[in-house]
Amino acid sequence: MSSDFPFGFGASGQEPERREPGGPHSGGAGGPEDLIGKMPLFAELQKLFAYSGGPVNWDLARQGAIGAVAGGHRPVSESERDAVRAALQLADLWLGEVTELPSGITTATAWSRVEWIEKTLPVWSNLCDPVAAQVASTMASAIPAEAAQAVGQMGGMLQALGGMMFGAQVGQAMASLSSEVLTGTDVGLPLAPAGTAVLLPQNVNEFGTGLELPEDEIRLFLALREAAYQRLFGHVPWLRQRLLDTVESYARGITVDVDAMRSTMEEAMGSVDPTNPESLQQALQSGMFTPQESPDQKRALARLETLLALTEGWVDAVVSQASEGRLPGAVALTETIRRRRASGGPAEQTFAALVGLELRPRRLRAAATLWSALQAEQGMAGRDRLWTHPDLLPSADDLDDPQAFVRGQATGMSTAWSVEALEEAGPAPTDPERDRPDRPDPPKTDGNSA
């Protein structure tokens, strides 16, 4: 059973199982080993080095993250939960007027920072384990040959140490993110359980400081964004998994300069004190595990950036339409959110530390322009039908000239990309290597072609 206390601390009066008097190295009853076993720090260390799970010690990550936010954590009040539920309900009504996608919300709620940490852990595990496993494999190959025999004898301890080091890093990153995220989809990925729309009132209040806008208007604007994301994730069946698979595809492409890593590893590991979590973190930040970006990763990153831009651009477009004439501060809030996402604040940086990449939709403005222009030309039905299949979505090149894409859609430039043809071809592929937002464009025709 995992401890509910942060690294280095245990419950008062809780002791580990004692050795039998007279056993090997026991030192007798009351000897040094018994004294060490009574010390909470060493009791926790015994648990950490007994860890035999995956590449990330998620018990440590959870405890470290919760311990880091405990000082500034504020529980959600019932009045805040009620206000969030009401905002999400109203937001869903407004969105029903501007998109044909039905509501994707099955649960509307508010979370504290601690709740966000605990309830998003399953998705973080899916995102981080492939990265940690790949780096751990490279670590093993970087160990000098003369140390291989010793490593074989200490394999369990090294696995536990690796899980502990990654767990410490993940915990720190999650703590930082939990103090900044405003909604369940704030980083562009569906972190909350399917159908769960979430706002974090404590962070929303801090976000609103200095904006000189009413609190309820800010809450409703963010509820519109969250509800819009839920419509996409709830009714575009391939989108959620495609985003997560593309992150995993990026992780599979990780390569590390083994010689440079060995040199850095020898230098950094010499300064690691297993009893001092700060020394472990310093080793992580030394560049020991910094991967090189491979061609496969660059392709995966391009796919991810395009898909994120298209997703967030659609959300921007429908929220702008739904809030027009209703929320006077919507334009200013949209610009604030765009700058916040594009600048890559501390939350973006900590996510980059978690999974090795930045989740910035660099083409967000172009994508929002494309969706708005398409809606003006073909109505919301014509706009939203592109989510029927990934092959219908605009490519990265289309974002260079959104108006040309819209004109092409209006003239029906290629029947090969029609909804009917794609439906005959079968469901959307799940292999991220076949992700189509960066597909080659359909054959070009002149503007007079039928």
Side-chain angles (χ1 to χ4, degrees):
M1 180 179 297
S2 65
S3 169
D4 289 330
F5 295 86
F7 173 63
F9 298 91
S12 176
Q14 181 178 338
E15 299 181 14
E17 183 179 348
R18 298 186 182 184
R19 298 178 184 269
E20 291 296 326
H25 311 294
S26 69
E33 293 294 334
D34 275 347
L35 293 176
I36 288 175
K38 293 179 181 180
M39 300 173 66
L41 171 61
F42 289 98
E44 289 298 314
L45 282 173
Q46 287 176 356
K47 293 180 183 179
L48 290 173
F49 281 105
Y51 173 77
S52 58
V56 178
N57 186 329
W58 288 102
D59 286 340
L60 176 61
R62 172 186 171 275
Q63 293 170 22
I66 292 175
V69 303
H73 170 260
R74 180 172 63 78
V76 179
S77 68
E78 278 305 311
S79 62
E80 287 175 326
R81 291 189 194 277
D82 290 342
V84 167
R85 292 190 193 102
L88 286 166
Q89 184 178 23
L90 180 57
D92 239 2
L93 287 174
W94 289 359
L95 288 170
E97 301 173 5
V98 297
T99 175
E100 291 198 336
L101 295 179
S103 172
I105 298 176
T106 57
T107 301
T109 188
W111 285 348
S112 68
R113 292 172 178 176
V114 169
E115 287 175 305
W116 182 89
I117 290 169
E118 293 182 323
K119 295 180 185 295
T120 62
L121 267 175
V123 176
W124 289 122
S125 177
N126 291 336
L127 292 174
C128 299
D129 278 346
V131 180
Q134 187 76 3
V135 174
S137 174
T138 307
M139 281 177 60
S141 67
I143 295 174
E146 59 271 16
Q149 184 176 0
V151 169
Q153 298 171 351
M154 300 172 60
M157 179 174 289
L158 284 178
Q159 180 184 4
L161 180 61
M164 178 167 53
M165 295 172 76
F166 282 113
Q169 183 186 31
V170 169
Q172 183 184 60
M174 289 188 67
S176 178
L177 278 167
S178 72
S179 66
E180 293 188 34
V181 291
L182 305 173
T183 68
T185 54
D186 207 27
V187 298
L189 297 178
L191 299 178
T196 300
V198 179
L199 267 65
L200 280 73
Q202 182 177 1
N203 295 352
V204 171
N205 291 340
E206 293 181 4
F207 168 75
T209 302
L211 293 181
E212 298 182 352
L213 290 171
E215 180 182 335
D216 58 348
E217 184 174 348
I218 295 173
R219 184 191 303 112
L220 185 50
F221 176 82
L222 295 173
L224 278 168
R225 292 182 59 83
E226 178 73 349
Y229 272 113
Q230 293 301 327
R231 289 183 181 237
L232 273 183
F233 291 135
H235 299 286
V236 180
W238 52 267
L239 180 58
R240 171 185 289 265
Q241 196 58 46
R242 183 63 58 89
L243 282 166
L244 300 180
D245 283 350
T246 306
V247 174
E248 184 177 347
S249 176
Y250 183 93
R252 287 201 306 266
I254 286 178
T255 59
V256 178
D257 185 333
V258 175
D259 292 334
M261 183 178 182
R262 182 182 295 120
S263 175
T264 307
M265 186 175 180
E266 291 172 349
E267 179 180 349
M269 292 302 288
S271 63
V272 171
D273 176 3
T275 67
N276 182 1
E278 291 185 2
S279 72
L280 297 176
Q281 187 61 32
Q282 289 170 0
L284 287 167
Q285 295 173 344
S286 67
M288 186 196 314
F289 307 123
T290 302
Q292 297 174 323
E293 195 167 70
S294 67
D296 286 344
Q297 281 183 299
K298 291 179 180 178
R299 286 190 289 270
L301 183 58
R303 290 194 299 272
L304 183 63
E305 286 182 344
T306 301
L307 192 53
L308 282 172
L310 291 172
T311 302
E312 296 200 33
W314 184 89
V315 168
D316 268 18
V318 297
V319 168
S320 175
Q321 190 177 357
S323 60
E324 186 176 1
R326 289 166 165 160
L327 297 180
V331 174
L333 285 167
T334 297
E335 189 60 31
T336 299
I337 293 292
R338 285 180 179 178
R339 288 199 304 266
R340 186 172 179 264
R341 290 287 281 125
S343 62
E348 298 289 343
Q349 295 165 14
T350 52
F351 190 93
L354 271 177
V355 297
L357 54 82
E358 296 174 338
L359 289 178
R360 298 189 198 176
R362 302 177 192 275
R363 312 293 296 282
L364 173 56
R365 292 180 187 274
T369 298
L370 185 149
W371 290 118
S372 295
L374 195 60
Q375 193 273 336
E377 183 72 27
Q378 298 189 12
M380 63 183 183
R383 177 198 63 201
D384 294 347
R385 75 178 179 86
L386 297 190
W387 291 106
T388 306
H389 195 284
D391 286 353
L392 289 171
L393 288 180
S395 69
D397 289 342
D398 291 326
L399 295 181
D400 292 333
D401 192 350
Q403 296 298 334
F405 176 82
V406 173
R407 290 194 299 271
Q409 291 290 307
T411 57
M413 64 193 316
S414 174
T415 58
W417 299 95
S418 69
V419 175
E420 292 78 9
L422 290 169
E423 286 177 345
E424 291 178 2
T430 57
D431 182 357
E433 294 305 321
R434 296 173 64 190
D435 200 351
R436 302 303 290 177
D438 65 338
R439 70 187 189 283
D441 287 338
K444 299 292 185 182
T445 66
D446 61 40
N448 297 320
S449 297

